[in-house]
């Protein structure tokens, strides 16, 4: 399973009300092996994304953003990326960011590293990004 | 004038999914311009619908036997159609089941919500094994 990594600025953005994880539009961005995210990146503009030609929607559905017994959990619906009409550019990193705020624009949350072999989606192929279901993408305790 | 209370009709799952999408769109349309109280009110509408959906999907589910928290449900739109998950929103990570296997505190890939609930209620024998 791909490792999830947190951008350091995320916790500050959250604490200062930049993001509403329950209602904002969380979105996936893809970057190639040569353009690895680093923990000190803060916004989408810091990254070099691949071309999204032939790729289905990158928008994530938020299932739940709530606390139980004082532990908050962000639960996202798995996202299926599909190549249609041709292949999708090779990528290695799947970045999650908040597409709703404009100041700062597109603050970053975290990223998955799918490993050195990278991924290519040929026409008709899919990649399911598993956000770990009820276990949650992230928790705050 | 009648004082009779009229209950709102119960939305079915598809209607709830649509209502959530609409509520989120309404919030996002003004997220960068509305006042904090206005945004809060709109986001609370989203939250209420999300809560209703995850509780509806987990209707009939037993509390988590490990921590007693109410189970919640999730819809996944997969390449093979909609699939349902029921699990604990508190317990995280894998535990070692009595049969020696590692398990997660959830059931996934059910074709109907009631299938996910049934498998959840049947206990860890039917819960997910984590990917290696």
């Amino acid at each position: 399973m791909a490792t999830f990594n947190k951008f350091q600025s995320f916790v500050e953005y959250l604490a200062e009300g930049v993001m509403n994880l329950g209602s904002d539009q969380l979105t996936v961005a893809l970057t190639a092996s040569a353009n690895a995210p680093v923990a000190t990146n803060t916004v989408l503009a810091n990254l070099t994304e691949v071309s999204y030609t032939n790729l289905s929607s990158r928008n994530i559905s938020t299932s739940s953003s709530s606390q139980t017994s004082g532990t908050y959990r962000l639960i996202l619906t798995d996202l299926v990326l599909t190549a249609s009409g041709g292949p999708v550019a090779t990528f290695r990193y799947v970045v999650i960011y908040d597409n709703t705020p404009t100041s700062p624009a597109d603050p970053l949350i975290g990223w998955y590293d799918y490993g050195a072999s990278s991924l290519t989606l040929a026409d008709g192929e899919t990649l399911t990004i598993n956000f770990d279901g009820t276990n949650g993408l992230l928790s705050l305790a | 004038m009648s004082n009779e209370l009229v209950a709102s009709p119960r939305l079915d799952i598809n209607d709830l999914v649509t209502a959530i999408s609409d509520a989120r769109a309404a919030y996002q349309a003004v997220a960068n311009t509305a006042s904090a109280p206005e945004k809060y009110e709109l986001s609370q509408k989203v939250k209420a619908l999300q809560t209703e959906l995850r509780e509806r999907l987990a209707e009939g589910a037993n509390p988590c036997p490990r921590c007693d928290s109410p189970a919640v449900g999730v819809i996944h739109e997969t390449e093979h159609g909609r699939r349902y998950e029921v699990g604990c929103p508190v317990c995280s990570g894998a535990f070692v089941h009595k049969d020696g296997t590692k398990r997660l505190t959830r059931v996934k890939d059910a074709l109907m919500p009631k299938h996910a609930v049934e498998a959840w209620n049947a206990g860890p024998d039917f819960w997910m094994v984590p990917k290696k």
Side-chain angles (χ1 to χ4, degrees), chain A residues 23-24 65 73 78 100 134, chain B residues 24 28 32 47 85 108:
Chain A
S23 299
D24 286 356
S65 168
R73 198 143 276 172
D78 290 351
T100 295
T134 54
Chain B
R24 292 179 76 220
Q28 289 164 22
N32 294 292
K47 211 179 231 337
E85 174 178 339
K108 199 173 175 182

Side-chain angles (χ1 to χ4, degrees), chain A residues 34-105:
Chain A
N35 301 110
V38 294
T40 51
N41 292 142
T42 59
V43 294
L44 187 64
N46 296 156
L47 306 177
T48 302
E49 300 170 76
V50 303
S51 166
Y52 297 123
T53 303
N54 302 321
L55 185 61
S56 58
S57 171
R58 294 175 284 117
N59 284 338
I60 302 166
S61 290
T62 301
S63 180
S64 173
S65 168
S66 65
Q67 61 85 21
T68 304
S69 303
T71 297
Y72 166 87
R73 198 143 276 172
L74 176 64
I75 298 175
L76 305 177
T77 300
D78 290 351
L79 176 65
V80 180
L81 297 177
T82 304
S84 176
V88 172
T90 300
F91 60 94
R92 169 173 174 172
Y93 304 98
V94 173
V95 175
I96 300 164
Y97 69 97
D98 189 340
N99 198 19
T100 295
T102 54
S103 181

Side-chain angles (χ1 to χ4, degrees), chain B residues 39-80:
Chain B
K39 288 198 297 184
Y40 180 77
E41 189 178 331
L42 288 169
S43 71
Q44 288 302 105
K45 287 182 182 172
V46 175
K47 211 179 231 337
L49 290 165
Q50 287 172 335
T51 300
E52 187 176 346
L53 178 60
R54 67 173 179 264
E55 289 176 353
R56 178 81 59 79
L57 294 171
E59 244 173 23
N62 296 332
C64 175
R66 301 181 68 214
C67 73
D68 214 32
S69 298
V72 298
V74 180
I75 292 177
H76 296 290
E77 303 286 356
T78 79
E79 54 184 314
H80 303 295

